[in-house]
Amino acid sequence: MTAIRLLLVDDDPLVRTGLSLMLGGADDIEIVGEGADGDEVEALVDRTHPDVVLMDIRMPTVDGLAATELLRGRPDAPEVVVLTTFHADDQVLRALRAGAAGFVLKDTAPTEIVEAVRRVAAGDPVLSPAVTRRLMAHAAGSAPDTRRTTARSRVAALNDREREVAVAVGRGASNAEIAAELFMSVATVKTHVSRVLAKLGLNNRVQIALLTYDAGLLEDDGHYE
């Protein structure tokens, strides 16, 4: 089995050391580099070719948000998991909208951080449905009307089946749950999810969830709380 190549970026050397010891002990994870600021990230990625970047949000020169936006705009972008001390704030939302595959709290248990890296490397976002709903609710009060208009215009590109799948993803349903609900195979669900991502120019399921919320589709669906 090929090891997951992981790049650590955090301005606190003690945090980096702790993460390196914790994650480097896993048989399937290889620490290929470390950085202390967001301004180092692109050069480090070019040199080390990581599969996943574990990125602190708050750094002195270039923060993890700007660094995530730069990375996710690349054609060969690694997956990004942001490190934060907050459950739900505007910075986490910005990182997710930029294409981060999820976030973990700095006080998360070591085994959970290891599992988060594994999940992201396998293509699964690290964000539970409950956390997704909380983040979207956090953004609800400040979202401008133009965001909803823009989001509705974007999702108009989807056909009816793709829209149904997108709404189910927005509710946090798994592929198996969507398959059971919409009477299709899991493979067909995966195909629809891939088409939704491609049509909407999104990176992952978290971004689908955020866009469906912005468009008001979860409210229309009657499942959003």
Side-chain angles (χ1 to χ4, degrees):
M1 180 177 63
T2 302
I4 300 163
R5 298 174 62 81
L6 179 67
L7 173 64
L8 302 175
V9 185
D10 195 295
D11 64 326
D12 187 332
L14 291 178
V15 171
R16 290 201 309 275
T17 298
L19 289 170
S20 182
L21 289 171
M22 175 200 317
L23 294 159
D27 293 339
D28 56 343
I29 296 175
E30 177 187 0
I31 308 297
V32 295
E34 297 182 16
D37 200 282
D39 64 355
E40 304 173 22
V41 171
E42 286 206 283
L44 283 168
V45 167
D46 287 338
R47 187 165 72 247
T48 63
H49 306 290
D51 301 306
V52 180
V53 179
L54 192 57
M55 180 108 66
D56 188 20
I57 283 185
R58 292 172 176 81
M59 291 182 285
T61 305
V62 175
D63 65 24
L65 303 174
T68 296
E69 289 169 345
L70 283 172
L71 281 186
R72 294 304 299 171
R74 295 165 55 123
D76 57 345
E79 297 293 348
V80 176
V81 178
V82 294
L83 281 168
T84 180
T85 54
F86 296 91
H87 278 279
D89 62 12
D90 292 333
Q91 292 180 316
V92 171
L93 279 165
R94 180 179 155 195
L96 296 175
R97 292 187 191 281
F103 74 92
V104 293
L105 300 175
K106 287 193 173 183
D107 59 359
T108 297
T111 54
E112 293 181 23
I113 294 181
V114 171
E115 185 58 26
V117 170
R118 288 173 176 154
R119 285 180 56 190
V120 167
D124 293 325
V126 183
L127 207 60
S128 70
V131 172
T132 302
R133 286 194 294 270
R134 187 164 65 243
L135 283 167
M136 290 188 293
H138 177 77
S142 59
D145 290 340
T146 52
R147 177 176 291 165
R148 172 153 298 190
T149 301
T150 300
R152 283 187 177 269
S153 175
R154 292 180 68 189
V155 299
L158 304 179
N159 63 36
D160 290 344
R161 204 55 158 168
E162 290 163 350
R163 181 187 174 106
E164 288 178 326
V165 170
V167 169
V169 169
R171 295 199 312 267
S174 68
N175 286 343
E177 290 168 338
I178 297 171
E181 176 186 339
L182 299 180
F183 305 102
M184 61 178 70
S185 69
V186 171
T188 301
V189 173
K190 289 180 179 178
T191 298
H192 281 303
V193 171
S194 295
R195 287 175 180 166
V196 170
L197 291 170
K199 280 190 175 182
L200 300 179
L202 301 176
N203 289 291
N204 54 45
R205 296 169 76 98
V206 175
Q207 288 189 324
I208 294 177
L210 290 168
L211 186 63
T212 56
Y213 177 78
D214 285 347
L217 297 186
L218 302 186
E219 296 168 8
D220 296 344
D221 187 56
H223 286 80
Y224 182 74
E225 299 177 359

